[in-house]
Amino acid sequence: MPRPRLRSRTGTAVIAATAVLGSLLTGALPSAAADGPAPVAVDRFEGEVPFANPPADGIFTRGGDADDQPKLAIKERADAPEGSKVLEGSYDISGWGGMSHDFAFDKPAHDWTAHKGVRFWWYGQNTAPLPPGSGKRINFEIKDGGANGEASELWTTSFTDDWEGWHLVEIPFSEFKYRTDYQPVGGIDQVLGLKEMWGYALTLPTGAPGSFALDGMELYGKAEPALNAKVITDAAVYPVAEGATAQVKLSVATTGSGPIDEPVTVEYTTEGGSAESGKDYAPVTGSVTFPAGTASGDSHSIAVATKKDRSAESAETSPLKLTVTGAKAPAETPQVVVNAHDLPYLDKKLPLKKRVADLLSRMSLAEKAGQMTQAERNALKSQGDIASYELGSLLSGGGSVPTPNAPEAWAKMVDSYQLRAQATRLQIPLLYGVDAVHGHNNVIGSTIMPHNIGIGAGRDPKVSEKTGAVTAKEVRATGIPWDFAPCLCVTRDERWGRSYEAFGEDPALVTAMDTVINGMQGARNGKDLDRNDKVLTSAKHFVGDGGTEFGSSTTGSYTIDQGITKVTRAELEAVHLAPFADAVERGAGTVMPSYSSLDILGDVQGPVKMHANAEMINGVLKDRMGFDGFVISDWKAIDQIPGDYPSDVRTSINAGLDMIMVPTDYQDFTSTLKDEVTAGRISQARVDDAVARILTQKFKLGLFEQPYADTTNLNQIGSAEHRAVAREAVAKSQVLLKNGGAVLPLKKSQKVYVAGSNADDLGNQAGGWTVSWQGSSGKITTGTTVLEGMKKAAPGAEISYSKDASAPTDGHDIGVVVVGETPYAEGIGDVGNGNDLELTAADKAAVDKVCAAMKCAVLVVSGRPQLIGDRLGDIDALVASWLPGTEGDGVADVLYGKRPFTGQLPVTWPKSEAQLPINVGDASYAPQFPYGWGLTTLGKAPAGGETALKAIGLAAELLQATGQGKSVQGRELVAKARLIVQQKIGQNVTEASAKPFANADHLLLTGDLSGAVTELTAAYRAA
């Protein structure tokens, strides 16, 4: 799912910064609000505070070791938000590291009690916009009380770097929490007093190099009342069946968890809401007092009894108004909700269509508009907006995760949102969605599958289905019923930053791997969707996103992603539409259009944004293909349609979109949609069709009966059973491109020298869309690296490791060099956008050194081919390892022969970047390795040469004639012919042999066994 256009976020930042800067006097900080104290500068970073170590007043770095300490400098900058200078820093932290400012130990501590919080300017480093809360996390702490800055009490909070350019970060003191993992003096009183402040500190993110800039740190605002106690409720919404009693639990809590100092009184009364006092519930009025000395966490329950009137009705609310003395009141008024009951749409025994029709007939335009809206969960102004705006769906964008990022926390988070939907009149449950594109990849500890490109290399539809089933089981266990997967793009140019999201370059291969939909959803008719191990799928991106022309993108610095796909109508049908037709047949519940534009050559329309393409969405997808699910937009994608925002809304809805991933400004979208319908520019019939499609899927998912997480399978997330499926998929994805002298498989008796940037890096081998949107290097989740897998596979072997191959190479039998890419996602990874297809200088040096010293096997861990032809003669064995995910054991399995190499290239491996795009079926086709290439260690090639090929051809004709063209036996038969041909070609791949060889694999995937053998025979003769 892409993000908004870069220039949109950049433009917003510039406008915001200009407005703020325009209000500043030169060298002055922002002025105070009329009713608050003047801001007080903490650091202006003009050089007035030196770089110095305690006990002197100064800024200093810290870290787990010397390498973890950032490099700092005061620099003059024309764009400095305050004054003329800023603090700049760069870092590359493997353990922990950051910077601190300690105030002088020989002077009095600072008093911050008059202010609301601390704020500062931060220069965001994101070159693409991110959903709120999903950028790199920076921890910020303040030093309270004690003797000095290094013997004080630490209070911490954090913010995320979600923007590009200068941004004002405001942190109220109420957001700081007492650090429980480390305290320099063991803690003092665990009360944030603010009267004796000794400084602040920043802890920077790990896993990848980064930089930052900081300016104008100051205290702002008027202090909140000094109340150390607060009253909390255990929920904001209390749904109960008619006639049942709700128990509203009130608890008292204190800063530091000590007993309360003064009495706390809570007066309560049922007041307002849609429920009628005396008729729907028994009114309640009274008070509760927590005496001084009451322990933090003590609670009292208030019972609100509802009444049974035996008539069918929608949900009704009764707020419990709380007036608190002596403590902070709850942030929200709790609501008791009498559940909707005895209405036809709630009757599971009724036919699905009748339930949908009944519910639709009861809905207002506002409720329908809410169902057509999907918001990012971090964009909610408050969770109460779920009910206020009748929202139908929420999502977590890449990296938008709960704290802690653990399965249990995900389930609780989703349940908390679902609870809010119960406060609506019709209690229509939310449909929560997430990008689980290779396993439940946002969740730390989940099973991370190979990316789709590796699944395509495995050529096993059953494995594809099994990976989908595991993913669905882990996603649904966290309460999420909807996965924005699979990507059914056909990648036609590996310069595309999303090419690893495709199963391959051949529509026949992508279609063959569509079995992942069966694994995720179950039966085609959706009867399995209410199971606790199935999820709704989203076939994306409709249509042609894998065929965008290099240089056609207008999104920021992207070169190809979100660009223009220029094809004939015949090419469109054969290449890009085919996998979607199959997905519809398999019952995919939703479809997501592409960000790209489609330009059908020969018509007069020119490029049309897919989100505005009524011909393709209404005409082809819904009418011709018979798609009966709903169409969900991509992230803020309708904003890219030409015209103003009302035009974007009506154009996209009228083109066939049913739900819009807003994702942030849900208020404006719902208001605009209602206005467009009222004005008649969007018909009521179009809205009813959209909402009916959405409701149908919610009913199929069983959300009306079970909206909350079924955590039965929570312990299966990351389980050994699930990792075994991923391990099998990894082993099958490994493509052996060269194996001179039968170097592979390795022998456990050999002394192995391991090197390269990707040998021992879990984040690199998992790639983008892992824990965060762009992914990151390092130990970012639970799993096994390639090196760790090798050591487990051969526990008695001598395996040494030197990442840069700087350690002596003497005395080793064989070298294994694991090289490749670092993570990226979407257009950020486009070639030309700071990326190319070359190995890094360090990786090249490692390959050169190891392969010059001993026999060597080079593994390329990447999402697309890397240009390695100039080194191919010095490499004994070459493996395309793709992006295996968390199970490095699967790579080790084939390296040590526990499993055979059986993978085949899902894309053509080019000789040079100038050859791109290059694909099976091209008129000119002279690659380094052709599509479908893949040596095996399963067994030797059959003897007999062309005579054997003729015999295989006869057997192929017989199988095909009996309807077994796509059978396992048919694939195995053609595999024997492929081995014969590959043995003859060796490393002497020519255009004459490559073209028919690649064509053969395409024909095999279509079920044409005889044609495949004929093409392989032609390749044999040309070799």
Side-chain angles (χ1 to χ4, degrees):
M1 159 177 38
R3 301 289 170 258
R5 288 176 290 182
L6 313 193
R7 59 186 181 189
S8 298
R9 178 65 67 90
T10 303
T12 302
V14 170
I15 292 169
T18 301
V20 175
L21 292 172
S23 68
L24 299 177
L25 297 173
T26 303
L29 292 169
S31 59
D35 60 346
V40 173
V42 177
D43 272 335
R44 296 186 60 233
F45 305 110
E46 297 294 309
E48 75 281 3
V49 177
F51 293 116
N53 290 314
D57 184 31
I59 298 168
F60 60 96
T61 61
R62 53 196 175 79
D65 54 42
D67 291 339
D68 283 344
Q69 297 185 26
K71 296 178 175 60
L72 304 179
I74 301 290
K75 294 284 187 69
E76 289 212 19
R77 283 178 56 151
D79 66 343
E82 189 278 321
S84 61
K85 298 177 182 178
V86 304
L87 176 67
E88 291 186 351
S90 61
Y91 59 88
D92 187 359
I93 303 167
S94 58
W96 64 272
M99 56 154 284
S100 293
H101 177 187
D102 278 8
F103 306 145
F105 291 6
D106 60 350
K107 295 180 181 178
H110 297 200
D111 185 348
W112 290 2
T113 56
H115 290 86
K116 180 180 181 179
V118 61
R119 66 186 176 195
F120 48 86
W121 290 95
W122 181 268
Y123 192 83
Q125 299 296 321
N126 289 304
T127 55
L130 296 170
S134 62
K136 289 186 176 180
R137 185 165 296 279
I138 296 96
N139 290 298
F140 186 83
E141 67 184 25
I142 52 180
K143 306 182 177 190
D144 179 56
N148 54 60
E150 297 306 295
S152 61
E153 200 166 67
L154 304 182
W155 290 75
T156 187
T157 187
S158 65
F159 62 95
T160 50
D161 185 359
D162 302 327
W163 55 86
E164 181 180 8
W166 288 110
H167 181 84
L168 190 62
V169 178
E170 290 192 346
I171 306 178
F173 291 129
S174 59
E175 290 189 9
F176 285 89
K177 306 296 182 186
Y178 176 78
R179 274 191 67 171
T180 57
D181 57 337
Y182 169 73
Q183 287 290 341
V185 290
I188 301 168
D189 57 6
Q190 298 186 33
V191 175
L192 182 57
L194 299 173
K195 192 171 182 61
E196 295 180 309
M197 299 303 301
W198 290 104
Y200 64 89
L202 285 166
T203 301
L204 299 164
T206 61
S211 60
F212 69 92
L214 186 65
D215 199 17
M217 185 167 297
E218 65 173 7
L219 307 176
Y220 77 95
K222 184 178 180 181
E224 297 177 351
L227 295 172
N228 292 326
K230 59 183 176 181
V231 172
I232 57 176
T233 60
D234 58 331
V237 179
Y238 295 84
V240 292
E242 185 188 48
T245 298
Q247 297 288 341
V248 180
K249 184 179 178 182
L250 304 179
S251 301
V252 64
T254 62
T255 303
S257 300
I260 60 176
D261 298 327
E262 300 177 1
V264 174
T265 300
V266 184
E267 297 179 352
Y268 56 87
T269 182
T270 45
E271 180 179 297
S274 58
E276 187 177 336
S277 178
K279 176 185 176 185
D280 298 312
Y281 66 92
V284 175
T285 300
S287 66
V288 175
T289 298
F290 295 93
T294 298
S296 179
D298 274 12
S299 62
H300 179 87
S301 290
I302 300 170
V304 180
T306 67
K307 296 190 174 184
K308 208 172 183 69
D309 58 15
R310 302 184 183 281
S311 61
E313 56 192 344
S314 55
E316 296 169 316
T317 60
S318 175
L320 184 65
K321 184 180 178 182
L322 304 176
T323 303
V324 180
T325 304
K328 294 179 182 178
E332 294 182 71
T333 298
Q335 293 186 80
V336 174
V337 180
V338 182
N339 289 335
H341 57 91
D342 298 319
L343 297 172
Y345 74 87
L346 295 172
D347 186 355
K348 191 177 180 181
K349 295 178 182 178
L350 284 180
L352 177 59
K353 287 186 177 181
K354 285 191 175 182
R355 297 182 74 184
V356 171
D358 178 71
L359 178 52
L360 191 64
S361 70
R362 299 175 187 278
M363 296 174 70
S364 67
L365 177 57
E367 288 166 330
K368 292 173 182 177
Q371 286 302 302
M372 296 172 69
T373 307
Q374 184 181 66
E376 215 288 332
R377 61 133 194 146
N378 267 323
L380 293 173
K381 302 299 184 290
S382 74
Q383 287 196 22
D385 279 1
I386 293 171
S388 299
Y389 289 88
E390 311 278 357
L391 296 180
S393 182
L394 290 181
L395 83 150
S396 279
S400 180
V401 302
T403 301
N405 184 357
E408 297 84 355
W410 276 88
K412 289 178 181 178
M413 176 187 75
V414 176
D415 280 356
S416 72
Y417 296 135
Q418 283 288 13
L419 181 63
R420 298 298 184 139
Q422 296 301 300
T424 60
R425 183 176 69 95
L426 297 170
Q427 294 185 309
I428 303 174
L430 286 171
L431 182 53
Y432 201 98
V434 67
D435 283 281
V437 298
H438 63 138
H440 201 358
N441 43 256
N442 284 291
V443 182
I444 292 176
S446 66
T447 307
I448 306 297
M449 301 292 172
H451 270 292
N452 283 354
I453 197 72
I455 302 297
R459 291 294 201 286
D460 191 332
K462 289 185 178 179
V463 167
S464 182
E465 183 173 350
K466 286 197 291 185
T467 62
V470 167
T471 298
K473 194 171 186 178
E474 296 199 1
V475 170
R476 194 67 182 256
T478 58
I480 299 171
W482 186 13
D483 185 358
F484 304 130
C487 182
L488 301 183
C489 50
V490 181
T491 177
R492 306 294 283 178
D493 190 334
E494 280 61 63
R495 290 173 291 187
W496 186 36
R498 304 191 77 144
S499 59
Y500 63 76
E501 293 188 49
F503 290 112
E505 70 185 34
D506 182 0
L509 174 58
V510 177
T511 301
M513 297 300 111
D514 277 357
T515 50
V516 66
I517 294 171
N518 304 95
M520 297 172 81
Q521 283 199 180
R524 182 258 179 272
N525 63 2
K527 70 178 181 64
D528 297 328
L529 282 173
D530 62 351
R531 286 171 34 178
N532 65 4
D533 62 346
K534 296 300 175 188
V535 295
L536 193 68
T537 60
S538 184
K540 64 183 188 184
H541 303 93
F542 185 83
V543 58
D545 59 336
T548 48
E549 185 178 77
F550 188 82
S552 65
S553 180
T554 57
T555 300
S557 56
Y558 293 5
T559 58
I560 188 168
D561 189 31
Q562 302 183 24
I564 302 172
T565 299
K566 299 178 181 179
V567 290
T568 65
R569 193 165 291 276
E571 289 171 329
L572 175 66
E573 294 285 347
V575 176
H576 299 290
L577 279 171
F580 286 94
D582 185 73
V584 171
E585 284 299 312
R586 293 180 187 274
T590 70
V591 168
M592 181 184 292
S594 172
Y595 242 131
S596 57
S597 299
L598 181 63
D599 186 0
I600 300 177
L601 302 177
D603 66 14
V604 294
Q605 292 189 70
V608 179
K609 279 285 183 184
M610 275 308 308
H611 280 73
N613 201 322
E615 177 192 355
M616 298 307 300
I617 298 172
N618 282 330
V620 174
L621 178 65
K622 289 185 173 179
D623 293 343
R624 195 185 86 191
M625 292 183 181
F627 174 64
D628 59 4
F630 71 85
V631 179
I632 169 72
S633 90
D634 212 329
W635 179 279
K636 211 172 184 178
I638 69 167
D639 293 26
Q640 291 194 12
I641 298 172
D644 59 16
Y645 193 62
S647 172
D648 295 344
V649 172
R650 67 174 172 267
T651 299
S652 59
I653 300 297
N654 287 333
L657 270 71
D658 303 305
M659 182 185 287
I660 305 300
M661 191 183 294
V662 182
T664 53
D665 198 358
Y666 51 90
Q667 304 98 322
D668 192 20
F669 172 74
T670 52
S671 173
T672 301
L673 176 56
K674 288 184 289 184
D675 289 346
E676 290 296 304
V677 175
T678 302
R681 290 184 288 268
I682 299 174
S683 71
Q684 185 67 57
R686 172 75 273 269
V687 169
D688 286 352
D689 173 61
V691 176
R693 288 170 176 267
I694 294 165
L695 295 177
T696 296
Q697 299 303 326
K698 290 187 175 185
F699 280 119
K700 284 183 177 181
L701 286 161
L703 295 178
F704 284 83
E705 291 73 39
Q706 172 64 341
Y708 304 114
D710 179 342
T711 58
T712 304
N713 295 321
L714 209 60
N715 63 354
Q716 290 294 300
I717 295 177
S719 66
E721 179 185 356
H722 286 186
R723 291 183 186 274
V725 172
R727 182 172 180 170
E728 179 187 7
V730 172
K732 290 193 171 184
S733 74
Q734 303 299 291
V735 181
L736 184 58
L737 299 173
K738 179 181 179 182
N739 195 23
V743 165
L744 295 177
L746 303 173
K747 299 177 180 63
K748 294 182 180 180
S749 59
Q750 290 174 312
K751 187 174 182 181
V752 184
Y753 185 99
V754 181
S757 61
N758 286 348
D760 195 32
D761 195 302
L762 195 63
N764 285 359
Q765 73 185 44
W769 289 108
T770 310
V771 181
S772 62
W773 173 36
Q774 289 293 314
S776 58
S777 302
K779 193 76 171 177
I780 60 174
T781 187
T782 305
T784 304
T785 66
V786 174
L787 176 65
E788 290 168 341
M790 291 175 66
K791 290 181 176 179
K792 288 165 65 178
E798 292 187 63
I799 300 175
S800 58
Y801 170 61
S802 175
K803 181 177 180 179
D804 60 0
S806 59
T809 58
D810 297 343
H812 293 87
D813 300 314
I814 190 167
V816 175
V817 191
V818 190
V819 296
E821 296 182 305
T822 53
Y824 56 81
E826 302 189 28
I828 300 297
D830 283 354
V831 167
N833 189 20
N835 305 284
D836 55 38
L837 299 180
E838 298 281 349
L839 299 178
T840 64
D843 274 349
K844 288 179 180 178
V847 170
D848 291 345
K849 181 175 181 181
V850 175
C851 291
M854 65 192 83
K855 288 185 177 181
C856 70
V858 174
L859 278 62
V860 180
V861 175
S862 64
R864 53 194 170 194
Q866 302 293 283
L867 302 175
I868 202 165
D870 57 343
R871 286 172 166 76
L872 197 53
D874 299 322
I875 296 171
D876 296 291
L878 179 63
V879 179
S881 281
W882 305 114
L883 295 170
T886 53
E887 305 314 299
D889 285 326
V891 180
D893 285 343
V894 292
L895 286 179
Y896 275 98
K898 182 176 181 179
R899 291 178 182 266
F901 279 96
T902 57
Q904 296 173 247
L905 283 180
V907 294
T908 301
W909 197 284
K911 291 179 180 176
S912 67
E913 190 177 317
Q915 283 189 313
L916 296 173
I918 182 171
N919 295 289
V920 56
D922 285 355
S924 177
Y925 191 76
Q928 190 83 63
F929 297 103
Y931 168 77
W933 186 266
L935 307 178
T936 185
T937 53
L938 183 60
K940 295 181 179 180
E946 195 164 343
T947 302
L949 287 174
K950 186 175 182 179
I952 291 172
L954 292 172
E957 288 180 12
L958 180 61
L959 275 177
Q960 194 166 326
T962 57
Q964 299 184 65
K966 292 188 177 181
S967 66
V968 173
Q969 295 91 333
R971 291 200 302 269
E972 290 177 347
L973 184 66
V974 176
K976 295 181 185 298
R978 187 187 310 112
L979 294 181
I980 294 171
V981 177
Q982 286 182 151
Q983 184 180 59
K984 187 177 181 187
I985 292 175
Q987 290 297 300
N988 186 30
V989 178
T990 64
E991 182 169 6
S993 61
K995 280 176 65 72
F997 185 93
N999 291 340
D1001 202 55
H1002 168 72
L1003 292 171
L1004 171 62
L1005 287 162
T1006 65
D1008 186 355
L1009 302 180
S1010 180
V1013 177
T1014 299
E1015 290 287 339
L1016 285 171
T1017 302
Y1020 182 88
R1021 291 169 179 168

